[in-house]
Coordinates of all heavy atoms in Angstrom, one line a residue:
N36 N 3.7 11.5 4.5 CA 5.1 11.3 4.2 C 5.8 12.6 3.9 O 5.7 13.1 2.7 CB 5.3 10.3 3.0 CG 6.7 10.2 2.6 OD1 7.7 10.6 3.2 ND2 6.9 9.6 1.4
L38 N 8.7 13.6 3.4 CA 9.8 13.7 2.4 C 9.3 13.9 1.0 O 10.0 14.5 0.2 CB 10.6 12.4 2.4 CG 11.5 12.1 3.6 CD1 12.1 10.8 3.6 CD2 12.5 13.2 3.7
C39 N 8.1 13.5 0.7 CA 7.6 13.6 -0.7 C 6.3 14.4 -0.7 O 6.0 14.9 -1.8 CB 7.4 12.1 -1.2 SG 6.8 12.0 -2.9
G40 N 5.7 14.5 0.4 CA 4.4 15.3 0.5 C 3.2 14.4 0.2 O 2.1 14.9 0.0
D41 N 3.4 13.1 0.3 CA 2.2 12.2 0.1 C 1.4 12.2 1.3 O 1.9 12.2 2.5 CB 2.7 10.7 -0.1 CG 3.8 10.6 -1.1 OD1 3.7 11.2 -2.2 OD2 4.8 9.9 -0.9
G63 N -0.7 12.5 -3.7 CA 0.7 12.2 -3.6 C 1.3 11.8 -4.9 O 0.6 11.9 -5.9
C64 N 2.5 11.2 -4.9 CA 3.1 10.8 -6.1 C 2.5 9.5 -6.6 O 1.7 8.9 -5.9 CB 4.6 10.6 -5.8 SG 4.9 9.2 -4.7
A65 N 2.9 9.1 -7.8 CA 2.3 7.9 -8.4 C 2.5 6.7 -7.6 O 1.6 5.8 -7.5 CB 2.9 7.7 -9.8
I66 N 3.7 6.5 -7.0 CA 3.9 5.3 -6.2 C 3.1 5.2 -5.0 O 2.5 4.2 -4.7 CB 5.4 5.2 -5.9 CG1 6.2 5.0 -7.2 CG2 5.7 4.2 -4.8 CD1 7.7 4.8 -7.0
S67 N 2.9 6.3 -4.3 CA 2.1 6.3 -3.0 C 0.7 6.0 -3.3 O 0.0 5.2 -2.6 CB 2.3 7.6 -2.2 OG 1.6 8.7 -2.9
K68 N 0.2 6.6 -4.4 CA -1.2 6.4 -4.8 C -1.5 5.0 -5.3 O -2.5 4.3 -4.9 CB -1.6 7.4 -5.9 CG -3.0 8.0 -5.7 CD -3.1 9.3 -6.5 CE -4.5 9.6 -6.8 NZ -4.5 10.9 -7.7
A123 N 14.7 6.3 -1.5 CA 13.9 7.5 -1.2 C 12.4 7.2 -1.5 O 11.5 7.9 -0.9 CB 14.3 8.7 -2.0
R124 N 12.1 6.2 -2.3 CA 10.8 5.8 -2.7 C 10.1 4.8 -1.7 O 8.9 4.6 -1.8 CB 10.7 5.3 -4.1 CG 11.1 6.3 -5.1 CD 10.3 7.6 -4.9 NE 10.0 8.2 -6.2 CZ 9.0 9.1 -6.4 NH1 8.3 9.5 -5.3 NH2 8.8 9.7 -7.5
K126 N 9.5 5.0 1.4 CA 8.4 5.6 2.2 C 7.2 5.9 1.4 O 6.1 5.8 2.0 CB 9.0 6.9 2.9 CG 10.1 6.6 3.9 CD 10.6 7.8 4.5 CE 11.9 7.6 5.2 NZ 11.8 6.8 6.4
C127 N 7.3 6.2 0.2 CA 6.1 6.4 -0.7 C 5.3 5.1 -0.8 O 4.1 5.1 -0.7 CB 6.5 6.9 -2.1 SG 7.5 8.4 -2.1
A128 N 6.0 4.0 -1.1 CA 5.4 2.7 -1.3 C 4.8 2.2 0.0 O 3.8 1.4 -0.1 CB 6.4 1.7 -1.9
L130 N 3.8 3.9 2.7 CA 2.9 4.9 3.5 C 1.5 4.3 3.8 O 1.0 4.3 4.9 CB 2.7 6.2 2.8 CG 1.8 7.2 3.4 CD1 2.4 7.6 4.8 CD2 1.6 8.4 2.5
Ligands
ZN1 ZN1 5.8 9.9 -2.8

Side-chain angles (χ1 to χ4, degrees):
N36 171 18
L38 285 177
C39 180
D41 310 316
C64 66
I66 289 182
S67 69
K68 217 161 159 183
R124 295 307 216 166
K126 291 177 194 296
C127 301
L130 177 64

